[in-house]
Structures are given as structure tokens and as C-alpha cells.
Amino acid sequence: MQIGFVLFPNVTQLDFTGPLQMLHRVPGATTHILARTLDPVPSDCGLGLVPTGTFADAPTLDMICVPGGFGVGAAIRDDETLAFVRAAGQSARYVTSVCTGAFLLGAAGLLRGRRATTHWAYHHLLPLVGAIPQRGRVVRDGNVFTGGGVTAGIDFGLTVAAELASPQAAQRIQLTTEYDPEPPFAAGSPDRAPVEVSDELKAFFAVRTAEFKNEISAALAAA
């Protein structure tokens, strides 16, 4: 099982490292961290991420995983990145994303008519790339798995691990990594967060999603 993670500048590192930590433990799996070059890729939190291979020398992938982040808009406008995602996704057994990585999959034509999810603030924009929005930490439609925002990537990784190996294997991975979350606040969803917190974040993301919508629309129009 050859699993390829796609990196691009300003990626959200946990979108990538959460699933990576789960999926590299799947028996028989080999993970590849892929980017345009072998240079460290800057994440959204200052952590440089080191690729293990380039798009040009990537092996044939059984699974492609695209994380999200504020760099997605630029990644969609990058011909080399978009072409790699399209080609790898068309031949892969599993096509997957976490957070706003769904929009890179969608821009590559891999989500047309598929049910998908993404970060809650961007969920309503999924039809722009032909996807059918469905709420959930992890949404499956055939061979397409999409995860919600950031930390949902861990749930996504375990869900895919169960598919690739077995539920028992996924549970062993969960126990090994002691994934037993007990968050200190019930504020992980806009439906449960305090109103003042939710309203503040909705106002912040309203500006960002408007910009992102324009980025996506412009990129699709130019394609």
C-alpha cells in the first residue's frame, strides 16, 4: 500500500501529521511525503516539513491524501501541483483529503458528484468544486474519504486504517497512540461552542471564506 501525502507552502501541519501518524502504522503501508521539490515546505505554524520525494519521482500511489491550509488557493493555481493531484487521484485506489484539501481534490476534478466534507467554515463552498456537502468528521463516498477540519484528520486516519487493514488494526493504532480525547472545553464545533466564541470565529472566517471563494472561482475559470 503506497500512500502519498501532498505538501504545499502554508499547509496546516496537523492536517498532514495527524493522518500520517495513524497511517504510517498500517501493516504493509509505505508513506511518501511529496512536494514540488525536496526543499523543506513551510507550514502555517513555522514548522518546516521535509518531503521524502517529489511529484516527478513519486511512485504509483494506491492512496493520495491532500491536507488543507491557507495555502490551498495558491496550490490550486500551481499547474504542477494540480496536475500531480489529478493524475495521482485518477489512478489511485483511494482518493482522500483533510480539511480544505478537499478543494484541491475538487479543483482536480476528483469530487464531482461525490459527497464530501471539509472545515466547518468552508463547508458551504464545496459545490464550487462539484462536491455534495455532507457534515461529518469523516465522510466516505465510494473510494473517496474526506475529513473535516484539522483534528478530524486523526479520526480520518483511523477510519482509513480500518479500511486498509481491519477495525482491530485501527484500534491497535488508536491504543498505541493513546488517542482518547477529553477536551477541556466543549468548543470544538460551532454548534456547541459558546455563542460569543462562535460568533467571533464566524465573523473572522466570513472574510477569509469570501477571499477563498474568489481564489477558487478565479483558479477554476483560468483552468
Side-chain angles (χ1 to χ4, degrees):
M1 175 58 62
Q2 304 295 317
I3 302 174
F5 290 88
V6 176
L7 294 187
F8 48 84
N10 213 14
V11 64
T12 294
Q13 66 86 16
L14 190 54
D15 286 2
F16 155 61
T17 54
L20 175 66
Q21 190 61 243
M22 301 298 114
L23 292 174
H24 94 94
R25 298 170 184 268
V26 172
T30 301
T31 54
H32 304 272
I33 304 168
L34 305 170
R36 291 183 62 184
T37 73
L38 291 176
D39 295 333
V41 178
S43 70
D44 63 352
C45 64
L47 176 67
L49 303 170
V50 181
T52 60
T54 67
F55 298 154
D57 64 18
T60 300
L61 298 176
D62 299 297
M63 173 180 162
I64 182 173
C65 182
V66 182
F70 286 162
V72 166
I76 289 173
R77 296 192 299 274
D78 181 74
D79 292 340
E80 186 176 349
T81 301
L82 189 61
F84 174 75
V85 171
R86 180 181 294 115
Q90 287 173 344
S91 62
R93 181 178 171 190
Y94 296 102
V95 177
T96 75
S97 66
V98 175
C99 200
T100 52
F103 292 93
L104 188 46
L105 286 185
L110 300 171
L111 290 185
R112 293 194 187 106
R114 299 292 196 125
R115 291 176 288 107
T117 193
T118 188
H119 188 285
W120 63 264
Y122 299 84
H123 203 264
H124 65 289
L125 297 180
L126 284 169
L128 287 175
V129 293
I132 302 169
Q134 179 174 315
R135 297 285 182 183
R137 293 281 283 180
V138 185
V139 170
R140 179 181 188 176
D141 189 332
N143 71 326
V144 175
F145 288 78
T146 52
V150 193
T151 60
I154 299 175
D155 296 3
F156 158 89
L158 289 171
T159 300
V160 174
E163 168 72 16
L164 300 182
S166 68
Q168 292 75 20
Q171 289 172 68
R172 286 194 292 270
I173 294 169
Q174 181 176 0
L175 182 55
T176 299
T177 57
E178 199 174 350
Y179 180 53
D180 189 23
E182 293 183 6
F185 308 105
S189 162
D191 298 328
R192 294 190 296 275
V195 172
E196 63 274 16
V197 174
S198 181
D199 286 350
E200 179 183 359
L201 266 294
K202 286 177 180 178
F204 168 81
F205 277 112
V207 176
R208 172 57 192 153
T209 54
E211 295 172 348
F212 189 66
K213 180 179 180 180
N214 291 336
E215 289 178 336
I216 298 297
S217 299
L220 294 176

